[in-house]
């Protein structure tokens, strides 16, 4: 989970991780992004932004109709045992792994970010929003889980913009 958050934070900078490392490690992007945006970011801020983005993307995907049933792997990983190495003979037990992953993410058993997880990241969950039934909610209402002022013009905002808005708010 931590590495997913770091990777997502790296992606949020707009520099692809898969171009031979030309963008550099996440730690090298923090001061560059801080200077460009005029915000004193730390590596912990970046990882938190990555987690926040991951939760926002999850909410968006749930709104689009994806469910726990879509959290799967290719059949060859679920049916064929590893042929060599320390995992030789092992078949991925996704049914056992997903509940652990969801708990690590702070999501419900159905793979929905909990109100507590969203609040922990500084996101105000709108009153009346049923997180377990996002498909029946208007998109702006779902994205309003995050600071409504930050999503007023979604056409010109990226996931990274939405996630980083928390760092630009005055801190208590």
């Amino acid at each position: 989970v931590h590495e997913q958050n770091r990777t997502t934070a790296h992606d949020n900078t707009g520099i692809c991780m898969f171009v031979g490392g030309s963008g550099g490690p996440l730690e090298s992007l923090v001061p560059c992004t801080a200077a460009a945006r005029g915000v004193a970011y730390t590596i912990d801020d970046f990882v938190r932004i990555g987690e926040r983005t991951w939760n926002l993307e999850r909410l968006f995907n749930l709104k689009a109709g994806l469910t726990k049933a879509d959290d799967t792997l290719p059949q060859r990983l679920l049916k064929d045992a590893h042929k060599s190495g320390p995992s030789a003979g092992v078949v991925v037990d996704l049914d056992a792994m997903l509940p652990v992953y969801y708990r690590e993410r702070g999501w419900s058993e159905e793979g929905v970010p909990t109100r507590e997880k969203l609040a922990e990241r500084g996101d105000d969950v709108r009153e009346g929003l049923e997180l377990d039934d996002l498909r029946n909610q208007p998109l702006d209402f779902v994205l309003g889980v995050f600071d409504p002022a930050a999503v007023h013009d979604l056409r010109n905002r990226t996931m990274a913009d939405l996630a980083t808005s928390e760092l630009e708010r005055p801190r208590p």
Side-chain angles (χ1 to χ4, degrees):
V1 170
H2 182 73
E3 284 306 310
Q4 285 180 328
N5 294 341
R6 286 179 57 87
T7 301
T8 303
H10 195 290
D11 289 345
N12 283 343
T13 67
I15 298 175
C16 180
M17 293 182 57
F18 303 107
V19 290
S22 65
L26 184 60
E27 287 76 8
S28 70
L29 299 175
V30 172
C32 297
T33 306
R37 293 196 60 139
V39 177
Y41 293 116
T42 66
I43 190 69
D44 291 337
D45 292 332
F46 262 54
V47 173
R48 191 168 63 250
I49 290 166
E51 179 182 16
R52 192 166 191 240
T53 303
W54 198 269
N55 287 326
L56 176 60
E57 289 173 348
R58 182 64 176 193
L59 289 172
F60 185 90
N61 287 339
L62 291 167
K63 169 59 181 160
L66 297 177
T67 69
K68 175 182 179 177
D70 297 296
D71 291 335
T72 191
L73 294 169
Q75 285 300 303
R76 67 180 177 82
L77 295 176
L78 299 173
K79 302 287 184 200
D80 301 336
H82 293 272
K83 296 188 184 342
S84 62
S87 297
V90 174
V91 175
V92 174
D93 185 357
L94 193 61
D95 290 335
M97 294 169 65
L98 270 181
V100 174
Y101 176 75
Y102 291 161
R103 273 194 306 278
E104 285 292 313
R105 278 253 164 242
W107 296 352
S108 73
E109 291 178 5
E110 294 302 309
V112 178
T114 63
R115 288 177 181 276
E116 294 78 20
K117 173 50 76 175
L118 296 171
E120 175 186 309
R121 295 280 60 112
D123 297 314
D124 296 323
V125 178
R126 285 196 173 174
E127 197 62 38
L129 178 63
E130 294 298 329
L131 292 176
D132 290 326
D133 189 24
L134 292 173
R135 286 187 303 180
N136 293 325
Q137 305 291 339
L139 182 59
D140 62 337
F141 192 72
V142 171
L143 293 178
V145 164
F146 300 90
D147 181 3
V151 295
H152 71 279
D153 187 0
L154 293 174
R155 292 168 295 165
N156 296 320
R157 307 285 309 251
T158 65
M159 292 288 192
D161 289 334
L162 295 173
T164 59
S165 67
E166 86 168 46
L167 295 176
E168 295 168 354
R169 292 186 211 155
R171 294 184 184 182

